[in-house]
Amino acid sequence: MGWIAAVAALGMAATLSGCGGEAGGGDVTLKLVAADYGSTDANTSKRYWDDLARAYEKKNPDTKVEVTVLSWKDVDREVAKMVKEGNAPDLAQIGAYADFAKEDKLYKVQDMVSVTTEANFLPLLSQAGEVHRVQYGLPFASSTRLLFYNEDLFTKAGAKPPTTWAELQEAAQKLKDKGVKYPFALPLGSEESQAETLMWMLAGGGGYRSKNGDGYAIASEENAHTFSWLRDNLVGKGLTGPVAPGRLDRQPAFDAFAKGEVGMLNGHPTLMEQAEKAGIKVGMVPLPGEKGKAKAAMGVADWMMAFKQNGHRKEIGKFLDFVYRDDNVLKFSGDYDLLPVTVTASQQMTDDPAHKELKPFLQELPTSVLYPVGETSWAAVSKSIKANIGKAVESKGDPQAVLDRIATDAQNAEAAE
């Protein structure tokens, strides 16, 4: 998916023992930098990682694990800075791995973890962790997206959960007629518009990649049609609320949903918890396609990767085997309403009545479509989407021209590789 909050645990310049070469014995310190999935000090991911590190150290007294937890808005940048300065961590749990793999800074997954661990990742996520058919990224957390709707607002408006774009527009109009502030919240601002964009592209039969997976297809006819429909049938009819989609970020849209100000929006499991805590009765359905259910939902994954710099391949692999045990995977997924990335943990969550609210998301994951994270050009493409896509749905916007501009940026990014 990227996802929330802020906390710095340990100093960024901590010195690692055993640097250089392949560690072969004696005490070793592994340095891990991880993203924070919590929103407050009470639910920071630091608590999870500290507990896990202490449990591992108890069983492996010759290995110490130092953990630094940073907010999502900082962690990718800080890890890149550390690597550039020659102070790479042993492990980083962040949003993207491909640039580091291209620079030959990462261990291959097959060279670290056990065969059992490697084979247990969900196939879709294992494949997404590959660069040139070699896996460098270990999926750590995943999510899918569904269309959320406020059941009470729908009841008052006499609306029904949509199964087609026409029904979605009809429901949004009924919500507007009842005075709902955001009949359909459409966050195409700079925070995470690459996600909202992909959801709608998939609903319209398109996507970021060509149908055979060979290159980008951002400016396709299907994608242009989708954003023309959004411009004319939602935004142009005043059904997306008082903030222009290009200036609406995801978190403010989520917050508005939790306040009862939004009729519908695309959301992930964390929003479900946020809204229910606020007393909102949440309904969920797949985002519809133009004439029925979309062929695929959007999936999101965040990544674990291991850097070669300090030469701790064996110790890293042993620690990762522990990280990906079912009990640890389920603990993290349960704490943050995320989806497990392994086959066995996914099955356990599916079978557990305590997680029945996550079942619709779990059902979408195996056939979902992820960002093209294995492409080193993706970071530049995502940046262009965030900067430009909101213009496509403005009243006088030209979706084809906007998509052409993003496609050109994608071509330039690929040429620069």
Side-chain angles (χ1 to χ4, degrees), residues 147-148 154 159-175 183-186 196 200 203 229-230 233-234 239-240 264-266 285-290:
L147 177 65
F148 284 45
F154 262 59
K160 64 178 183 178
T163 60
T164 65
W165 285 358
E167 290 180 1
L168 188 149
Q169 180 189 359
E170 180 184 356
Q173 185 63 58
K174 289 181 176 180
L175 291 162
F184 189 100
L186 184 66
E196 189 75 17
W200 279 101
W229 186 89
L230 287 170
N233 295 282
L234 288 187
L239 302 179
T240 53
M264 295 177 279
L265 85 173
N266 291 313
V285 293
L287 177 65
E290 187 166 18

Side-chain angles (χ1 to χ4, degrees), residues 127-174:
Q127 186 176 0
E130 295 178 354
V131 175
H132 302 310
R133 300 182 184 273
V134 177
Q135 187 179 357
Y136 295 93
L138 299 89
F140 181 74
S142 65
S143 179
T144 54
R145 306 294 168 90
L146 294 172
L147 177 65
F148 284 45
Y149 63 94
N150 184 313
E151 291 186 351
D152 288 337
L153 293 180
F154 262 59
T155 298
K156 292 175 183 176
K160 64 178 183 178
T163 60
T164 65
W165 285 358
E167 290 180 1
L168 188 149
Q169 180 189 359
E170 180 184 356
Q173 185 63 58
K174 289 181 176 180

Side-chain angles (χ1 to χ4, degrees), residues 271-303:
L271 173 60
M272 178 178 60
E273 181 184 20
Q274 179 185 354
E276 290 177 347
K277 283 182 177 178
I280 303 298
K281 292 179 64 177
V282 180
M284 294 178 293
V285 293
L287 177 65
E290 187 166 18
K291 299 185 185 304
K293 187 178 185 297
K295 292 181 180 179
M298 187 193 78
V300 176
D302 297 323
W303 301 94

Side-chain angles (χ1 to χ4, degrees), residues 322-340:
F322 182 77
V323 168
Y324 285 100
R325 278 183 6 184
D326 283 352
D327 55 343
N328 292 325
V329 172
L330 288 167
K331 175 73 166 72
F332 190 88
S333 300
D335 284 352
Y336 296 102
D337 283 324
L338 296 169
L339 306 183

